[in-house]
Amino acid sequence: MLTTSLKILNEHYQTLNNEGQDVIQGLTRTPKSLPPKYFYDDRGSELFEQICELPEYYPTRTEASILRQYADEIAQITGVCELVELGSGSSTKTLFLLDAYERLASYCRYIPIDVSRGIVQSSVLKLQQKYPAFFIEGLIGTYEQALAKLESTFASSRMIFFLGSSLGNFNPQECNIFLRKIAKTLQPGDYFLLGIDLQKPKEILEPAYNDSQGVTAAFNLNMLSHLNWRFQGNFDLHLFTHQAIYNQADAQIEMYLHCQKSHQVSLEALGLEVFFADGESILTEISRKFDLANMQKQLEAHGLKTLKIWTDPKQWFGLILCQA
């Protein structure tokens, strides 16, 4: 019989009393910015799942094709281990890995972690039906909370995995901090599986973040809706438009919300009043595109030795398996 549980890593997460400080900092600086974690309320998570199905958005299906082909090889290299997924979402791509570990051994412990309570809860319920012999424990919280509160594993080893090139949302300094935390969390012999989006022409990249159906625009604008309900705000979504551009010099997609009319916004729960000038922009996300050789060096600088790298035939996306 399957044992499942659901834990909120921060019981005050719904009010985000401390985390709202990053909203204040981002909206009072010039130029304005917001952390991408505020994309992911339940509605934002639903929209991102829709983005992953769009014809222009290649990363999800490309990474899934790599996992489909090589999941058994990954499982053979690591052997039976505890699986911890950061930013699990609906765990759709993870099914290839879970299937591979089920073929390797009937029992497995899987810990999906995401900030969206709704999506973690629904995915855990679905997975308990598909994998009755697995122990599944959903954790609701941020990456930082998850890495700080992961308990010791009863398995011989653990694999933390971070798919979807979410690492690209971190600037270089944040990336180093994150990898340092991963290395600190892992014990010698543990594994880290990382998915990264690779550098390619802007003619491929920009349409992936400016889709013809407007789903990415709705996803971007939903961040303002999230801030409205979470912090008692009065953002008018009709006064902002979405745009994503590829910054060739920094090898990163930059996603913006552009203000169309001068106006004032208040976030009562934060005691914040913000003026937006006509044409002013909020940077809501960066999505860095990586070079495999450079990423391998960066991982090894943190004590994460590369065991194997897998890519698709076009070399659009890469999976890197490391060991502490």
Side-chain angles (χ1 to χ4, degrees):
M1 183 178 70
L2 176 67
T3 304
T4 63
S5 69
L6 202 65
K7 288 184 181 178
I8 300 177
L9 295 175
N10 177 358
E11 292 297 337
H12 301 290
Y13 180 72
Q14 290 300 318
T15 57
L16 283 173
N17 290 331
N18 294 326
E19 291 177 278
Q21 296 304 309
D22 52 16
V23 175
I24 296 173
Q25 292 167 7
L27 292 181
T28 54
R29 67 163 59 110
T30 302
K32 292 179 171 65
S33 64
L34 285 166
K37 69 183 181 184
Y38 291 104
F39 285 131
Y40 298 103
D41 61 354
D42 288 348
R43 176 58 179 157
S45 295
E46 290 172 3
L47 285 166
F48 184 71
E49 294 298 318
Q50 293 177 34
I51 288 171
C52 292
E53 300 295 325
L54 293 170
E56 300 98 331
Y57 194 76
Y58 64 86
T60 301
R61 63 175 176 271
T62 306
E63 185 180 36
S65 70
I66 299 170
L67 286 167
R68 183 184 297 110
Q69 185 171 357
Y70 297 110
D72 283 305
E73 187 176 349
I74 294 168
Q76 290 292 336
I77 292 172
T78 68
V80 179
C81 60
E82 179 182 272
L83 304 175
V84 179
E85 182 172 13
L86 300 176
S88 56
S90 62
S91 301
T92 304
K93 288 176 297 186
T94 313
L95 297 180
F96 297 116
L97 283 172
L98 296 181
D99 286 346
Y101 282 94
E102 187 181 42
R103 286 189 286 270
L104 190 67
S106 59
Y107 174 79
C108 185
R109 181 183 173 98
Y110 170 55
I111 303 174
I113 300 163
D114 203 280
V115 295
S116 171
R117 179 171 188 159
I119 204 159
V120 173
Q121 194 164 21
S122 64
S123 63
V124 166
L125 290 173
K126 290 176 184 176
L127 291 170
Q128 75 176 3
Q129 301 298 323
K130 184 170 175 57
Y131 303 100
F134 283 19
F135 180 92
I136 301 172
E137 181 178 45
L139 301 182
I140 302 160
T142 64
Y143 306 142
E144 295 85 355
Q145 291 166 351
L147 294 174
K149 296 189 178 183
L150 271 182
E151 299 172 354
S152 298
T153 178
F154 296 105
S156 57
S157 63
R158 165 184 281 160
M159 181 171 76
I160 296 177
F161 54 104
F162 196 37
L163 302 177
S165 196
S166 297
L167 188 72
N169 297 147
F170 300 146
N171 65 37
Q173 181 183 8
E174 292 167 339
C175 183
N176 273 317
I177 292 171
F178 174 78
L179 293 177
R180 193 180 308 132
K181 288 179 179 177
I182 290 288
K184 185 178 179 181
T185 303
L186 296 175
Q187 298 298 314
D190 284 350
Y191 301 93
F192 179 49
L193 180 66
L194 177 65
I196 56 171
D197 198 9
L198 304 179
Q199 295 174 12
K200 58 186 70 68
K202 75 173 185 177
E203 290 76 18
I204 298 168
L205 289 166
E206 288 190 349
Y209 295 84
N210 295 288
D211 67 274
S212 58
Q213 297 178 44
V215 182
T216 310
F219 174 72
N220 200 7
L221 286 162
N222 182 71
M223 179 184 279
L224 303 184
S225 294
H226 184 181
L227 296 182
N228 279 347
W229 70 257
R230 194 174 287 282
F231 298 120
Q232 300 171 40
N234 64 347
F235 276 104
D236 183 345
L237 275 60
H238 295 97
L239 297 182
F240 292 87
T241 57
H242 157 83
Q243 185 189 27
I245 62 169
Y246 184 56
N247 180 333
Q248 189 82 43
D250 294 332
Q252 64 187 30
I253 284 284
E254 295 171 359
M255 203 147 77
Y256 294 95
L257 289 171
H258 298 303
C259 176
Q260 302 300 298
K261 177 183 175 182
S262 299
H263 67 289
Q264 193 93 0
V265 171
S266 66
L267 294 165
E268 287 188 23
L270 301 178
L272 181 64
E273 297 278 341
V274 183
F275 175 75
F276 286 89
D278 185 9
E280 189 173 10
S281 301
I282 312 170
L283 175 66
T284 55
E285 182 182 53
I286 63 168
S287 183
R288 295 167 61 216
K289 308 305 172 186
F290 296 98
D291 175 82
L292 276 171
N294 289 339
M295 178 51 66
Q296 186 174 345
K297 291 176 185 175
Q298 189 172 2
L299 289 163
E300 292 185 353
H302 290 280
L304 299 167
K305 181 183 178 182
T306 300
L307 298 180
K308 192 146 188 182
I309 296 173
W310 298 272
T311 63
D312 59 286
K314 295 180 180 178
Q315 300 228 322
W316 280 7
F317 205 94
L319 277 182
I320 306 176
L321 179 62
C322 311
Q323 188 170 32

